[in-house]
Amino acid sequence: MVKSSTTYICQQCGYKAPQYLGKCPQCDSWNSFVETIEKSQGVKESKSQRLEKAEIINLSNIKKTEFNRLSTGLGEFDRVMGGGVVLGSLVLVSGDPGIGKSTLLTQLALNVNHESRSMNTGKKENHDSLFKIHNSNVLYVAGEESAQQIKIRVDRINTKADLAVLNETDVDAIIEAISQARPSLAIVDSIQTLETGDLNSVAGSVGQVRESAHRLQRLAKDLHIPIFLVGHVNKDGMIAGPKTLEHMVDVVLSLEGDSTSNFRILRGSKNRFGPTDEVGVFEMEEKGMIEVKNPSKIFLEQKVSAPGSAIVATLNGIRPILVEIQALVTKSFLPMPRRVGSGIDNNRLQLLTAVLMKRMGLSLFDKDIFVNATGGLKVFEPAADLGICLAIISSIQDKIITPKTVFMGEVGLLGEVRQVRGMEKRIAEAKKLGFSKIISPENAKNLAQAVRLALVL
Ligand code: TYD
Ligand code: MG
């Protein structure tokens, strides 16, 4: 057997030390050491052993190129995954604490459980399982909460449902349990609570998180079981955030939303088996997350006609969603006026403010500007530029934008309005929702033209 020992390695320059160091003596970076398992030099494999292990495959010999997928029973979730969960994939679900990761995954577990049980009853009959999950095809590994707490959540979502829960944080014990029980799906909540006895650092440290994910990745591939990892987004510190894992997993999903709204957006930022940029929209209710099939309609439900409000047509993956942008421009009493964007890119807001000052002659140097994308959807597309600019102009001039108007277009540094991708899809969605006036590069070549078309005088 290959014996292993641990070393601390500087992540910046690769310097090795036998114990944790706060500052690297070689490159002077701080807090850069991560505990890593090192195979000892003593027991080296022979050349023939290594050759035996290495297998070269001709792609033409692989017959099936289609992935086997498992439906989660949640249409919005399946779409973000690219049509279901690929068997054997490792999926990271990240998000702020309290955003609803455990709720969403519990619902998913109950769905998969229900469906796979009705599909192949008795599948586990001949499997000699040490773990009693005969009534469940999903294993929920709870490192953070007790089984009682999970029961409270399950009861809230669906009182009749059952689910197999494993209260464990030792990743090797978890791997053993999954190998024995062979569930159709395993959920690990959360990766930051896992640890292996092979490392000395505490659970949640970069070394532990990375090693645990690595071992689960191998397990998922070996057994063809999809594994979901929950990862909290954390402020910098000893607890390793999901960033550490992004390169190791197959799919990265993030659950977003702001604290003031019930909407939750599930976004895929990496997907080895499907599209990225897709979004799924949910609403957090008393009985769990409800899928929102027509997000534009719901995002615009509370819209009031007032100065500072503009509707933009965004495109997420292949799905158009209309969002209201609100702007408030007020006199500033600060030497450095504030430009605060929520749900939009702050750097973009700075740039658009500069364009408005230079090209439209607006005096914004003594004004605070607040811009908000309502509903909790993050609008980082340049296609929203025109709407953001018009919302700001509408607020500063205290004039409303003509009702039933929607904006799409990127604003260049010269104040020109530029083409964006997927115009037809955006226009179709706007028309479907009853918008009659579309302001885009087709009818507004620059900001001044857009203002003439949009504002009610
Ligand atoms: P949770 O899934 O525990 O968040 P996370 O795992 O991301 O930390 O959900 C947290 C919030 O969701 C909590 O404030 C309670 C609320 N909630 C509902 O509104 N409805 C529900 O059905 C459930 C189960 C939770
Ligand atoms: Mg949780």
Side-chain angles (χ1 to χ4, degrees):
M1 213 184 95
V2 180
K3 264 181 77 185
S4 60
S5 63
T6 73
T7 316
Y8 289 80
I9 300 178
C10 171
Q11 300 299 295
Q12 301 296 331
C13 70
Y15 183 85
K16 290 182 185 174
Q19 79 283 336
Y20 183 80
L21 298 178
K23 185 182 175 192
C24 177
Q26 186 164 285
C27 70
D28 288 345
S29 28
W30 288 91
N31 299 326
S32 59
F33 280 87
V34 170
E35 192 186 21
T36 319
I37 293 178
E38 275 226 320
K39 280 183 190 156
S40 77
Q41 296 292 314
V43 218
K44 252 195 166 169
E45 287 170 334
S46 70
K47 198 171 166 186
S48 59
Q49 273 176 321
R50 282 199 303 259
L51 263 178
E52 222 167 82
K53 258 181 30 189
E55 189 193 354
I56 297 173
I57 303 167
N58 271 358
L59 292 183
S60 55
N61 291 341
I62 302 178
K63 287 198 185 68
K64 219 165 161 208
T65 49
E66 266 300 297
F67 301 116
N68 287 324
R69 292 183 188 260
L70 176 83
S71 167
T72 63
L74 289 170
E76 290 288 294
F77 199 99
D78 284 353
R79 205 161 40 81
V80 176
M81 295 290 295
V85 185
V86 171
L87 299 190
S89 62
L90 189 66
V91 180
L92 174 69
V93 181
S94 68
D96 292 334
I99 197 84
K101 300 179 293 297
S102 306
T103 306
L104 185 62
L105 290 179
T106 307
Q107 266 175 272
L108 196 141
L110 296 177
N111 276 348
V112 172
N113 216 352
H114 178 78
E115 276 179 25
S116 47
R117 214 172 350 141
S118 53
M119 255 163 39
N120 41 32
T121 34
K123 174 193 149 202
K124 292 187 177 300
E125 298 285 274
N126 50 10
H127 191 86
D128 184 22
S129 172
L130 277 182
F131 294 85
K132 299 263 176 290
I133 68 161
H134 294 288
N135 280 328
S136 178
N137 269 318
V138 180
L139 184 63
Y140 197 102
V141 181
E144 285 181 1
E145 296 164 300
S146 66
Q148 278 83 358
Q149 281 170 308
I150 304 219
K151 185 168 169 54
I152 295 171
R153 184 176 292 125
V154 169
D155 284 349
R156 214 169 145 176
I157 296 166
N158 177 358
T159 31
K160 287 193 281 297
D162 197 9
L163 182 65
V165 175
L166 172 68
N167 259 134
E168 183 59 69
T169 57
D170 181 338
V171 67
D172 303 304
I174 293 168
I175 288 174
E176 199 49 47
I178 294 176
S179 317
Q180 290 283 340
R182 299 288 174 108
S184 327
L185 172 73
I187 293 168
V188 177
D189 188 357
S190 67
I191 184 73
Q192 277 112 344
T193 57
L194 299 196
E195 55 188 342
T196 165
D198 296 341
L199 290 175
N200 301 317
S201 35
V202 291
S205 60
V206 177
Q208 289 283 12
V209 164
R210 219 188 260 175
E211 186 59 31
S212 301
H214 184 62
R215 291 181 186 194
L216 289 169
Q217 165 80 293
R218 267 203 313 244
L219 179 76
K221 296 279 172 291
D222 287 350
L223 302 185
H224 269 271
I225 296 174
I227 300 181
F228 279 83
L229 304 178
V230 172
H232 295 295
V233 174
N234 288 292
K235 304 240 157 47
D236 248 335
M238 274 306 279
I239 311 289
K243 276 270 169 246
T244 338
L245 297 175
E246 279 179 359
H247 66 284
M248 301 173 76
V249 299
D250 300 308
V251 181
V252 179
L253 305 178
S254 51
L255 195 60
E256 306 164 350
D258 63 33
S259 49
T260 54
S261 102
N262 279 347
F263 294 116
R264 299 288 183 266
I265 318 286
L266 186 73
R267 191 185 288 277
S269 56
K270 168 182 175 179
N271 194 343
R272 285 188 179 147
F273 317 108
T276 48
D277 288 348
E278 275 297 334
V279 295
V281 185
F282 297 88
E283 194 172 0
M284 181 64 115
E285 299 256 322
E286 253 320 288
K287 280 172 158 280
M289 299 260 209
I290 312 288
E291 295 178 70
V292 177
K293 296 267 175 17
N294 189 349
S296 304
K297 197 158 165 246
I298 298 207
F299 284 156
L300 300 182
E301 227 163 40
Q302 294 173 19
K303 177 177 162 24
V304 287
S305 191
S309 157
I311 309 290
V312 297
T314 66
L315 199 60
N316 299 272
I318 52 164
R319 184 191 211 187
I321 298 180
L322 299 197
V323 182
E324 182 191 359
I325 302 282
Q326 294 186 344
L328 183 66
V329 182
T330 56
K331 182 156 175 50
S332 178
F333 297 94
L334 299 168
M336 279 275 282
R338 307 218 290 160
R339 279 89 178 84
V340 185
S342 123
I344 68 159
D345 182 11
N346 244 330
N347 289 333
R348 196 84 201 156
L349 178 58
Q350 306 270 9
L351 185 143
L352 293 175
T353 308
V355 172
L356 286 174
M357 286 169 76
K358 178 81 180 169
R359 306 289 165 206
M360 297 295 291
L362 300 181
S363 68
L364 296 169
F365 66 93
D366 58 349
K367 307 271 194 317
D368 286 333
I369 303 176
F370 303 91
V371 180
N372 182 19
T374 59
L377 187 73
K378 291 203 168 82
V379 184
F380 282 177
E381 262 195 301
D385 288 355
L386 186 58
I388 295 173
C389 288
L390 264 293
I392 294 174
I393 296 172
S394 159
S395 173
I396 202 168
Q397 298 192 354
D398 214 20
K399 289 177 187 155
I400 61 163
I401 286 167
T402 319
K404 302 276 169 211
T405 301
V406 69
F407 297 94
M408 54 197 85
E410 180 181 344
V411 173
L413 294 184
L414 309 179
E416 83 279 23
V417 179
R418 304 169 71 100
Q419 286 285 349
V420 292
R421 72 183 176 99
M423 289 283 278
E424 312 78 48
K425 285 210 180 79
R426 299 176 206 252
I427 292 171
E429 176 77 0
K431 290 212 167 127
K432 202 172 88 194
L433 289 157
F435 286 85
S436 48
K437 194 166 190 176
I438 287 152
I439 300 188
S440 70
E442 302 294 324
N443 53 5
K445 296 283 170 236
N446 54 41
L447 275 174
Q449 277 183 9
V451 169
R452 275 200 294 280
L453 284 172
L455 289 187
V456 173
L457 297 173

